[in-house]
Amino acid sequence: MRPWLYRLISALFALLLLLQGGRALHVNKARTVENSFLPGAVWNDSEGSPIQAHGGQVQRMPIPDGNGGKTEVYVWVGENKTDGHLGNPVAVYTSEDLVHWTCRGDVLRPLDSVEQIDTDPYFQALYGSYGEEEKRNLFDCIGRDKVIERPKMLYNAKNDNYVIWFHSDGPTEKNSYSYDLGMAGLAVSDSPFGPFRFVGRYRLSECPEGQIDCYPSSKGEARDLNLFADEDGTAYIVYTSENNKTIYISRLNEDYTGLSGKEYGVDYLRIFPGAMREAPVLIKAEGRYYLMTSSTTGWGSNQARVWSADSIFGKWHSDGNPCAGKGRGVTFDTQSTTLFQAPNGQWIYGGDRWNGENLADSRYVWLPATFEDGKLSIQWQDEWHWD
Ligand code: GAL
């Protein structure tokens, strides 16, 4: 994007934010109550460093207990944006109470150079057996100058392993824009704490014959994405496609390492064609499926929108904006990234408050979410706790 256009768009969004009361939302700097959440404040891990897990996902999941078995904790996976925009390592944190988080390190690391595959024991162990072309291809996929965004993780019980899917992007021969490729990257590990081995990056489901493709020149794109595992273990990848115009939900295979098939309505669904939504979050709450999304305004916040359905490949109903009160027009100056339940069943919305000028200082806004009359509702709180 041209710099003057970027500045103009940023200025328009700053104005919108001001009108919607987004920036006016109070940010508490210190807790007044033990174990509370302070939406928008700096959030340090157990070592006192700001948590770096942007565009992430929080879930309760089995992790190795050290004795050959498993135990359950909360796992937060996200982008480590310490070094800025591109080539972000994927970081993992764990917690018992959702307030105190321990950093488990970078579980998927980007490459500084092709040579690093041979000189760094970390990469040697993962990719040392690769031929020259495979090494170059790997660097092309997860090099420091590539997009590694919105990582999401699932535990696969069948294989007792962990998969990460993420938005894998970069320039193409035709265009030097960092987001021209539009693919989904896959990495696999035996442990949620890595090291995750990058497996490949892929285009996903395509608009079927007989439907109007909103971007026919680039089939199967996948950009902002999320994962969801249903109660029966069936997992889905939800992503924005067709140049961010249409959201797709595609069923994953049993290993969670690829798509289950190509049959429309059975293996995937194309929803809201042309609606221009991204940052999707798919959950099941009280027997109903909910899909929360943002509009497509880069690091600038905008209005959230939710759809809900009785079944994943059924009919989706528009439920409108889930946010209520001051800041509702700009999702309280956040972009959706996760929805999960606290130990007492309380649903929590987790959003990114991006700081486009200094991405490492982007903040997290976690707010209570409720389901009233089958509708998701989120309200601002200066300070709150789930118990
Ligand atoms: C947003 C997207 C973010 C990031 C950003 C880059 O639309 O949700 O994950 O890609 O654009 O501008």
Side-chain angles (χ1 to χ4, degrees):
M1 196 183 292
R2 295 177 197 287
W4 64 265
L5 187 60
Y6 181 77
R7 275 201 295 277
L8 179 69
I9 292 174
S10 304
L12 285 174
F13 280 109
L15 185 66
L16 178 71
L17 201 59
L18 213 64
L19 294 174
Q20 297 283 349
R23 286 281 180 218
L25 296 168
H26 187 72
V27 175
N28 276 0
K29 299 251 176 352
R31 290 197 169 98
T32 62
V33 187
E34 211 184 325
N35 289 344
S36 63
F37 295 119
L38 297 172
V42 172
W43 195 345
N44 288 335
D45 65 15
S46 53
E47 299 289 310
S49 304
I51 294 173
Q52 285 293 332
H54 311 277
Q57 167 211 38
V58 177
Q59 69 192 296
R60 201 164 169 79
M61 66 157 38
I63 64 162
D65 66 1
N67 295 314
K70 290 272 190 289
T71 178
E72 281 210 350
V73 294
Y74 282 95
V75 174
W76 183 353
V77 58
E79 302 157 28
N80 176 352
K81 287 196 125 42
T82 305
D83 294 329
H85 182 187
L86 298 172
N88 295 140
V90 176
V92 164
Y93 294 78
T94 52
S95 175
E96 300 284 353
D97 63 6
L98 294 170
V99 175
H100 303 94
W101 291 89
T102 305
C103 181
R104 301 297 190 136
D106 294 335
V107 302
L108 175 66
R109 284 175 46 189
L111 278 164
D112 293 325
S113 64
V114 184
E115 292 69 41
Q116 199 184 6
I117 302 170
D118 295 319
T119 55
D120 184 330
Y122 173 92
F123 290 111
Q124 237 171 5
L126 289 171
Y127 312 109
S129 65
Y130 278 23
E132 291 311 308
E133 200 183 323
E134 285 173 300
K135 285 179 188 164
R136 276 196 303 276
N137 178 50
L138 182 69
F139 179 62
D140 198 34
C141 293
I142 56 165
R144 279 272 175 200
D145 58 343
K146 296 298 172 348
V147 169
I148 301 173
E149 287 180 354
R150 296 193 174 268
K152 306 290 179 301
M153 195 194 291
L154 286 179
Y155 170 64
N156 184 279
K158 176 179 161 244
N159 299 323
D160 188 20
N161 69 359
Y162 299 79
V163 301
I164 286 179
W165 283 91
F166 65 95
H167 175 192
S168 175
D169 226 318
T172 58
E173 278 170 15
K174 280 194 240 144
N175 197 326
S176 59
Y177 177 51
S178 296
Y179 292 88
D180 204 48
L181 211 58
M183 287 189 164
L186 168 71
V188 178
S189 175
D190 288 338
S191 162
F193 310 134
F196 276 80
R197 193 175 61 81
F198 176 79
V199 179
R201 62 182 178 191
Y202 314 96
R203 284 284 171 109
L204 301 180
S205 305
E206 296 183 7
C207 182
E209 297 273 325
Q211 293 191 20
I212 299 169
D213 190 334
C214 298
Y215 201 61
S217 61
S218 186
K219 299 269 184 204
E221 277 186 3
R223 298 177 183 278
D224 282 10
L225 59 76
N226 219 314
L227 297 174
F228 165 70
D230 215 336
E231 285 137 3
D232 65 357
T234 310
Y236 301 85
I237 183 164
V238 52
Y239 50 100
T240 183
S241 188
E242 300 177 11
N243 201 20
N244 279 349
K245 291 190 174 64
T246 304
I247 297 270
Y248 280 58
I249 301 177
S250 300
R251 189 150 53 102
L252 292 174
N253 61 25
E254 287 187 355
D255 298 328
Y256 302 166
T257 53
L259 303 183
S260 64
K262 290 184 171 179
E263 196 179 334
Y264 189 76
V266 173
D267 294 304
Y268 73 105
L269 196 71
R270 189 173 166 262
I271 16 184
F272 338 132
M276 299 248 21
R277 309 302 297 177
E278 62 179 2
V281 184
L282 178 61
I283 54 157
K284 187 179 196 177
E286 297 173 9
R288 198 165 168 77
Y289 297 91
Y290 293 86
L291 177 59
M292 183 170 175
T293 61
S294 77
S295 185
T296 55
T297 56
W299 306 120
S301 49
N302 53 54
Q303 186 166 308
R305 204 164 154 193
V306 167
W307 280 263
S308 64
D310 287 333
S311 65
I312 294 248
F313 292 151
K315 187 160 171 37
W316 286 83
H317 301 266
S318 174
D319 292 346
N321 181 2
C323 301
K326 193 158 132 190
R328 69 187 177 283
V330 284
T331 321
F332 313 112
D333 192 12
T334 72
Q335 191 180 24
S336 41
T337 194
T338 191
L339 272 160
F340 59 95
Q341 278 181 295
N344 67 348
Q346 166 73 57
W347 279 92
I348 297 176
Y349 161 73
D352 292 294
R353 181 171 287 176
W354 299 113
N355 176 353
E357 305 292 313
N358 178 8
L359 284 166
D361 190 35
S362 300
R363 306 288 175 81
Y364 313 101
V365 171
W366 287 15
L367 295 169
T370 55
F371 295 89
E372 285 151 27
D373 304 326
K375 282 203 174 175
L376 169 63
S377 168
I378 303 167
Q379 240 158 351
W380 177 261
Q381 304 274 335
D382 291 343
E383 179 178 10
W384 70 285
H385 53 95
W386 57 261
D387 56 350

